[in-house]
Amino acid sequence: MKYILFVIINMFCMFTTAQTVVGKVTSNGKGLAYVNVYLEGTTKGAISKDDGTYKINNVKTGTYTIIASFTGFQTQKKTITVASNDITVNFNLTESEILDQVVVTGTLKAVSRLESPVPVEVYSPTFFKKNPTSNIFEALQNVNGVRPQLNCNVCNTGDIHINGLEGPYTLVMIDGMPIVSGLSTVYGLSGIPNSLIEQVEVVKGPASSLYGSEAVGGLINIITKLPENAPLVFVDGFTNSWGETNADLGFKTNISNTANVILGINYFNYSNPLDKNNDNFTDVTLQDRISVFQKWNFQRKNNRLFSLAGRYFYEDRWGGEMQWNKNFRGGTDVYGESIYTSRYELVGNYQLPVEEKVNFQFSYSNHHQDAFYGDMKYEGKQRIGFGQLIWDKPLKHHDLLFGLAARYNFYDDNTTATIQADEVVIPSAFIQDEITLTQKQKLLLGMRYDYDNRHGSIFTPRLAYRFKPTENDILRLNAGTGFRVVNLFTEDHAALTGARDVIITEALEPEQSYNINLNYLKKIYTKNGFLFTLDASAWYTYFTNAIIPDYDTNPNQIIYDNLDGNSVSKGISINLDAVFGSGINASIGATFQDVSQTESGIKTRQILTERFTAVWALSYKHYPTNITVDYTGNIYGPMRLPLLGDLDPRNEYAPTWSIQNIQFTYNGITNFELYGGVKNLLNWTPNKGNPFIIARANDPFDKNVSFDANGNALATQNNPYALTFDPTYVYGPNQGIRAFFGLRYTLK
């Protein structure tokens, strides 16, 4: 009997060694509801109540790391020891700095995003991980008002549209240097490992007063990490059911006490030709790409800056008839578009050893392209050199910025449009004054002067006003001008494939734009701890001397000239970010726009420009299981498409279409993340609802097309629609539904 009693007592003790962990989560002295509080490495956890209190029952004795996590606030960790008594653990969470990032693009100096008079949108690598892609070009599809536009069904090259404006109006920079433009846009945005990106900053509207030509419609600045902020080792690789494989790897190391370096390598391969729309052409371009990136940071006296980065990029891509191989390159037996691309880049920032804060920033890129579009050879070379001195001079109530810059452009190709190489140096000077009027008001005044010996002097002033009536409200008004000195790169696939000829009717003058933008930012905190951020903008941009390709006058030509009239881009955009309890956060954005041109009193809608677009990202993290679910997507309204004539049976307007994706991520293993999901859940492709996408895919060399004396295709029995071969009818990707799986390893 004593023995039985002893066993019962011991069993009772065993079952009563589990204790309770209780506490309260607060922020700014108030209870915070719906906070996830859990014990790391276990399934034990709880969600705080309306008053911020929580309780975790049945916790066994031992030492734990307890975590309080709520999106929109900084995660807090504590180490606790659970013994024979209940334990109380309180948390006081502070707001995350997600709305107060440091930005540099709007004013050329590091300032708080909330303090900047210029509205700047900031996107972190975490944002792009919600829908992992092999390059930044594709990743931008989830940014409101920004659309990657494919320009060719066969080779899948393209450009970036901001607020409905064509790619040439968007300046893309790396670390603030304009090395990605013109010929190199789609290639320059490939091959930068996501783990090396600190953030991506987007400015919508003219920025020529700071950045010169090409920043007419907006700019995208890809900022790479400093070595001290990069992980010690990182690996990220994924593959999908179509056979695409992408791998990023890199590391950082200290070379000496005064120098450290990061090295990143990106490799992408797709060598599985598929033809799911049955036109005997590859649905997606085949690619074999490698990119090597290296960035150095040097420690100097008085914390002066000196960084140097370089990248080499090589790609072999082809698309065409399914039976094509390299033996057919340049021939007329089997149609293929084959592009060899080689480029290198150098970017640096050096602070001069003087008492004043003066920086010298410089960049250089060299891009070479060797391509065949069927039997038409295209070989293009582009070099861009850039340097600028910036003097940052803060005074009482004034923050002055002075700059001297020079840009060198070289472009040459083997086409008839480039009789001789285009080579020019454009010197510039600019000044900016950010004036603190009151604690709540700031005014920014700026002006830039550029001299182009082909066009003379160009002035671009701007004004920005910021009013912050409360801590949670910001109103910004921006107005200014922009300009674009046109370099007409004739890697124009509509012409090179033989369907259309490029016609330049006059000497092209610089485009001018006049813009006004009103932006309102509102933060809303609810009693139960929810956070909402509303960011709304309205804009109006007026262009003179606009150069818009004319596809309509002659179906066999693309005509370029200065518009004898005007072009207008106007619209509104709204972004709403919401942070809920239980690990849920959401963002949704929508843009409504009207982009048109008026010539000889006739107003027409710009081609390949949607009326509306929307993007969204919904995320839920289940902390006990360490699983995050991301649902992302976009939707685009109808846009006018380039047809080949009145008999062309393809739809004149694209339908409303959407790409949607889902991803599951598990991070319950130290330093590892496993992720996988499905892209293009709706299995949407542009061929749905159309008789075909590529015109005369069965006769890509137009061997069986009859022409009249003016070179126009004639309607015949085997060509009833009077078409020629044309792969430029494209507005969305041809890639259908696919599953993907990936693995990340990060050692900090």
Side-chain angles (χ1 to χ4, degrees), residues 186-432:
V186 70
Y187 310 102
L189 287 175
S190 300
I192 303 175
N194 186 71
S195 301
L196 292 182
I197 295 176
E198 183 71 28
Q199 61 192 41
V200 176
E201 299 181 3
V202 179
V203 175
K204 298 173 182 176
S208 294
S209 61
L210 276 185
Y211 297 99
S213 180
E214 297 180 41
V216 183
L219 64 91
I220 298 169
N221 190 7
I222 301 169
I223 301 174
T224 60
K225 291 182 182 292
L226 290 172
E228 56 264 32
N229 297 332
L232 188 63
V233 178
F234 67 86
V235 179
D236 186 355
F238 69 82
T239 187
N240 66 30
S241 56
W242 278 52
E244 294 174 313
T245 301
N246 185 78
D248 291 337
L249 59 95
F251 65 89
K252 74 172 181 180
T253 185
N254 294 326
I255 302 300
S256 66
N257 293 331
T258 59
N260 48 39
V261 63
I262 52 175
L263 174 68
I265 300 173
N266 168 260
Y267 178 71
F268 176 79
N269 181 271
Y270 174 58
S271 53
N272 179 37
L274 293 175
D275 175 27
K276 298 201 173 186
N277 60 8
N278 300 315
D279 61 2
N280 194 42
F281 271 72
T282 54
D283 291 340
V284 178
T285 304
L286 290 298
Q287 299 174 58
D288 193 15
R289 178 179 74 231
I290 188 167
S291 175
V292 180
F293 176 89
Q294 192 173 76
K295 187 171 186 177
W296 291 72
N297 193 43
F298 300 91
Q299 305 297 324
R300 300 172 59 211
K301 292 181 180 180
N302 301 318
N303 292 320
R304 291 191 177 98
L305 295 175
F306 182 27
S307 64
L308 191 64
R311 184 167 76 114
Y312 176 74
F313 173 97
Y314 180 79
E315 182 184 72
D316 175 2
R317 70 164 60 198
W318 74 269
E321 295 185 271
M322 292 292 290
Q323 64 271 32
W324 189 91
N325 60 54
K326 290 186 178 180
N327 293 326
F328 297 107
R329 192 174 194 260
T332 58
D333 294 327
V334 179
Y335 186 88
E337 297 185 4
S338 171
I339 305 172
Y340 300 150
T341 303
S342 177
R343 68 178 275 117
Y344 61 84
E345 307 157 352
L346 182 68
V347 178
N349 188 355
Y350 179 78
Q351 185 175 345
L352 301 185
V354 295
E355 184 176 345
E356 297 289 342
K357 187 177 180 181
V358 181
N359 280 39
F360 176 59
Q361 300 173 332
F362 57 93
S363 67
Y364 180 79
S365 66
N366 187 300
H367 185 103
H368 178 256
Q369 203 149 312
D370 176 6
F372 273 96
Y373 298 87
D375 60 341
M376 298 189 68
K377 181 175 177 57
Y378 173 84
E379 185 169 2
K381 299 176 182 178
Q382 179 182 354
R383 296 194 289 268
I384 300 175
F386 182 81
Q388 68 181 9
L389 275 172
I390 297 178
W391 178 23
D392 187 356
K393 182 64 176 178
L395 301 172
K396 186 177 181 180
H397 303 307
H398 293 266
D399 199 349
L400 294 166
L401 189 75
F402 302 92
L404 293 173
R407 175 166 174 160
Y408 167 76
N409 281 351
F410 174 89
Y411 176 78
D412 192 20
D413 66 29
N414 66 315
T415 70
T416 56
T418 308
I419 304 301
Q420 60 183 14
D422 181 17
E423 188 170 18
V424 64
V425 175
I426 303 176
S428 312
F430 56 89
I431 182 172
Q432 175 180 280

